[in-house]
Amino acid sequence: MKVMTRLLAATAVAGMATSVSAADMTMKFGHVGAPGSLFEATAENFADCVNSSMTDKVEMQTFGSSQLGNDKEMLQKLKLAQMDFSLPSSIMSSVDDSFGIFEMPYIITSRDHMRRVQEEMMDVFQKAANDNGYHIVGLAENGFRHITNNVRPINLPADLEGVKLRTPNGVWRLKMFQEYGANPTPMAFSDVFTALQTGVIDGQENPYAQIASAKFQEVQKYLSITGHVYTPAYILTSKKKFDSLPEDVQAGLTDCANQTQDFTYETAAEMESVLLKEIEDAGVEVNTADKAAFIEASKPIYKQFADEVDGAQEMIDTVLGLGQSG
């Protein structure tokens, strides 16, 4: 219950903070997360930090549940200065191939591993973002992803054969599930519940926080704990916007993003056990997949990434090495 209390408190505080209107500038932060999601908790925590630490300079307003568009639309709106921040995750692999490293199955093993990757390689991802007109203010997470569906429990990759599975709009996730034998279908997150309910798709893959907050447990029979991909999330703005801000505002935003990362990691870890039980209690049948079989079936996607993306093998080796050094 601790995590739920904290989420409610964060939402309430952020709601009060955004009523302040004496700031020099107002900024809009959009995301796709539903109420109760980790994305909402992250955005509200960041907004609360900004609003309390830069009261006279910045008022941060948050808009969840895809109010400002889906991830692809919000990326475009950042560049058009129609909004100021978004919280993309998997879709960043369609912005630049460098972000595809996080689409490799089982490459990130823990949040501590992710922090080591961030410390060692953040300049690579910041340059990739900058080259495409964006600036990463900080990292959060979407989390470790698992598969739900209405066809059968997924124990082995072969169990995915023919399953119509929603994926985010990221090329490597699509290729990964094709390799496993599924029928992956890219789709905006906001459309997934209805597509599951009507049988347009059989299943989807997301962290518990997204599954539970979107109420997928109401329209899914099986949850298979695969943990196949860990996806970071990015507190993202446009490079043009960030560069135009006074240095003290840049520093304040960056500091709040760093604080929010700590909050997000702690909250995400707490949510995992709480929300798995919530999904089970809704009547969803839960099984733990054969992780070794999935890792073995993932080798071709690593090879394809290494063959097709410049510098990919070096990135793979670095990330895997950092996983062993913890």
Side-chain angles (χ1 to χ4, degrees), residues 52-66:
S52 60
S53 65
M54 294 190 282
T55 307
D56 57 337
K57 295 185 175 72
V58 180
E59 177 194 347
M60 186 72 66
Q61 299 176 342
T62 59
F63 301 85
S65 300
S66 306

Side-chain angles (χ1 to χ4, degrees), residues 17-29 50-51 54-63 81-85 241 245 253:
T18 53
S19 67
V20 179
S21 56
D24 294 340
M25 65 184 90
T26 300
M27 294 183 178
K28 294 182 178 180
F29 190 148
V50 171
N51 290 333
M54 294 190 282
T55 307
D56 57 337
K57 295 185 175 72
V58 180
E59 177 194 347
M60 186 72 66
Q61 299 176 342
T62 59
F63 301 85
Q82 294 173 351
M83 57 184 285
D84 304 288
F85 289 89
K241 173 72 177 183
L245 296 172
L253 292 169

Side-chain angles (χ1 to χ4, degrees), residues 276-291:
L276 176 57
K277 185 175 187 305
E278 183 179 316
I279 294 165
E280 281 188 292
D281 288 349
V284 177
E285 182 181 321
V286 177
N287 72 285
T288 300
D290 185 337
K291 183 177 173 181

Side-chain angles (χ1 to χ4, degrees), residues 227-274:
H228 52 275
V229 165
Y230 172 87
T231 42
Y234 307 84
I235 298 177
L236 196 74
T237 187
S238 77
K239 186 176 188 303
K240 183 177 179 181
K241 173 72 177 183
F242 193 79
D243 289 348
S244 72
L245 296 172
E247 284 188 14
D248 61 334
V249 174
Q250 290 182 357
L253 292 169
T254 303
D255 184 57
C256 280
N258 291 336
Q259 292 182 48
T260 292
Q261 182 175 7
D262 294 339
F263 164 84
T264 299
Y265 280 11
E266 183 183 344
T267 304
E270 289 180 11
M271 287 176 99
E272 283 176 347
S273 58
V274 173

